[in-house]
Amino acid sequence: SQTIHQWPATLVQPVGSPLSLECTVEGTSNPNLYWYRQAAGRGLQLLFYSVGIGQISSEVPQNLSASRPQDRQFILSSKKLLLSDSGFYLCAWSGGLFSGNTIYFGEGSWLTVV
Amino acid sequence: QKEVEQNSGPLSVPEGAIASLNCTYSDRGSQSFFWYRQYSGKSPELIMSIYSNGDKEDGRFTAQLNKASQYVSLLIRDSQPSDSATYLCAVRFYGNNRLAFGKGNQVVVIP
């Protein structure tokens, strides 16, 4: 069966510090990968989307970036965090267009920028 | 702009009653619809997916889809305190690999 893991689960970072969140998927190959952010009262916002290694689509302009160095690894980064970057970050995967494209989420990472 | 709307405020239901949640979407060509449940502080988990008009039942959950009216609903029968959570509606718009999510509806089941 497929599993998705992301880490760290929680982190508190000062403004201006870097960020790295990692996510890995097991039990499937060539998944579509996603990073979402959920801020209070704003619902789920898609940040990045990837259909393959090195292929990243950005949905929202911001100071965050994403990379996919391996087929089942997705990384969210920032060089300098802003207060507005605080939120609940969710990595997710789906099996592709012809598999129904259901999205499954990882456990999430709580980021507080202070 | 394509949107998914869940406009109802928090829903309080007594234990054993039916909870009814509604969701509307703007893209008439949408083909895939999903309901997720999210407990406080946790990530969303898939409850149901529905692709065709009509009802789809899974245990105490029933999803209803009406593409002509562009809405999808979720019924929770025999509501239990463990059903207390936020329910997110998600829609895959036509020609798009991504899901668009509504803001969610909070359900509180009162024992």
Side-chain angles (χ1 to χ4, degrees):
Chain A
S1 63
Q2 300 86 4
T3 58
I4 178 171
H5 300 289
Q6 65 176 103
W7 66 93
T10 59
L11 64 166
V12 179
Q13 295 285 99
V15 170
S17 65
L19 170 72
S20 180
L21 301 178
E22 295 192 30
C23 169
T24 59
V25 180
E26 298 178 358
T28 187
S29 60
N30 197 32
N32 294 330
L33 296 174
Y34 312 81
W35 278 110
Y36 284 87
R37 177 170 62 197
Q38 190 173 40
R42 295 190 61 183
L44 277 168
Q45 180 186 35
L46 179 62
L47 301 176
F48 298 96
Y49 161 64
S50 173
V51 297
I53 295 175
Q55 301 178 61
I56 310 294
S57 296
S58 175
E59 294 292 311
V60 181
Q62 60 219 320
N63 68 319
L64 300 171
S65 62
S67 62
R68 185 170 177 173
Q70 300 181 42
D71 180 46
R72 292 170 290 163
Q73 183 184 23
F74 208 21
I75 298 172
L76 182 69
S77 303
S78 174
K79 293 182 179 178
K80 290 185 178 182
L81 285 169
L82 306 173
L83 285 174
S84 58
D85 291 324
S86 294
F88 190 39
Y89 287 81
L90 291 156
C91 182
W93 75 275
S94 68
L97 187 62
F98 299 105
S99 67
N101 242 339
T102 302
I103 285 181
Y104 300 94
F105 290 91
E107 305 95 330
S109 299
W110 285 98
L111 169 65
T112 303
V113 182
V114 295
Chain B
Q1 183 173 347
K2 298 179 180 178
E3 294 180 340
V4 178
E5 294 190 1
Q6 296 178 256
N7 289 328
S8 300
L11 178 65
S12 293
V13 297
E15 185 174 355
I18 296 176
S20 177
L21 303 172
N22 295 314
C23 170
T24 60
Y25 57 94
S26 60
D27 182 20
R28 185 174 293 277
S30 299
Q31 298 294 316
S32 307
F33 308 86
F34 307 85
W35 283 100
Y36 288 81
R37 177 177 62 199
Q38 186 175 23
Y39 292 114
S40 179
K42 303 295 185 181
S43 63
E45 55 180 332
L46 180 71
I47 297 176
M48 295 189 68
S49 58
I50 185 168
Y51 306 99
S52 303
N53 279 328
D55 295 358
K56 179 180 178 182
E57 186 175 316
D58 184 358
R60 295 184 296 108
F61 298 97
T62 299
Q64 300 174 319
L65 176 61
N66 184 322
K67 290 185 178 180
S69 299
Q70 295 176 237
Y71 81 80
V72 56
S73 62
L74 180 70
L75 300 177
I76 308 173
R77 294 184 302 280
D78 187 23
S79 296
Q80 302 297 308
S82 60
D83 296 326
S84 297
T86 296
Y87 291 80
L88 303 172
C89 172
V91 177
R92 184 174 312 286
F93 296 131
Y94 179 75
N96 197 312
N97 275 335
R98 285 88 83 187
L99 287 186
F101 286 84
K103 291 185 177 181
N105 285 128
Q106 183 181 9
V107 172
V108 178
V109 180
I110 303 170

